[in-house]
Amino acid sequence: MLKFLSKVKIEFNTLDPRLASCVEFLAQCSAGKAKESNPNCQVLVKRKTDDQPPQISVTFVNGVEEAFDAAATSAQSIRKMILDKGQYLETEQMFREAGEQWPVIIPEEEIHQEAPGVKPRKAEDKK
């Protein structure tokens, strides 16, 4: 997960009962495998004393920042959103390195084409 990020900022009040997502997400970020995936990713923890909801902010390697309300979003959901966005970034990078246009634009007539059918082979034909 950290391989897609350059910075993670976790903010919460230690007395707030809504801090579960922050603590779980911090544990995921602190895991050895996560750190190995991107040792340059900064993980910052800010302990607050106000009543603001806990928040997790991330900066992706392309500079895009995103903030999550950790009181309303589980750590697993935040992780999944990061991984999904990371896959998108990897795909974009792959296309750009290959000299292809991004985003890929599929012509309208191709979208409505039927896919060629594949006829299943009989068991005797497989031998």
Side-chain angles (χ1 to χ4, degrees):
M1 168 185 65
L2 291 184
K3 76 177 188 174
F4 304 120
L5 305 174
S6 61
K7 184 177 175 182
V8 176
K9 185 176 181 183
I10 303 171
E11 302 177 75
F12 60 92
N13 181 334
T14 55
L15 301 176
D16 192 329
R18 306 171 292 178
L19 67 89
S21 282
C22 285
V23 173
E24 184 180 339
F25 195 78
L26 178 59
Q28 290 177 8
C29 291
S30 301
K33 212 173 190 182
K35 284 183 176 180
E36 287 174 16
S37 70
N38 184 1
N40 296 326
C41 180
Q42 293 180 305
V43 178
L44 309 170
V45 178
K46 182 178 180 187
R47 290 174 183 84
K48 303 188 308 182
T49 56
D50 58 18
D51 289 335
Q52 292 295 316
Q55 181 173 314
I56 298 172
S57 305
V58 297
T59 304
F60 288 88
V61 291
N62 66 349
V64 173
E65 295 180 18
E66 203 162 329
F68 302 97
D69 177 0
T73 314
S74 71
Q76 287 301 87
S77 297
I78 294 170
R79 183 176 188 275
K80 182 175 177 353
M81 286 185 252
I82 291 169
L83 292 174
D84 290 346
K85 177 103 179 198
Q87 291 296 334
Y88 178 86
L89 292 173
E90 279 188 336
T91 303
E92 178 182 357
Q93 181 180 4
M94 181 179 66
F95 271 79
R96 291 190 189 279
E97 286 174 356
E100 297 293 332
Q101 177 184 348
W102 184 263
V104 176
I105 299 171
I106 301 171
E108 188 71 26
E109 62 273 6
E110 287 185 26
I111 292 174
H112 300 291
Q113 285 180 350
E114 288 191 30
V118 178
K119 189 174 181 182
R121 297 185 328 190
K122 294 182 181 177
E124 300 106 36
D125 296 342
K126 292 181 182 178
K127 294 180 184 176

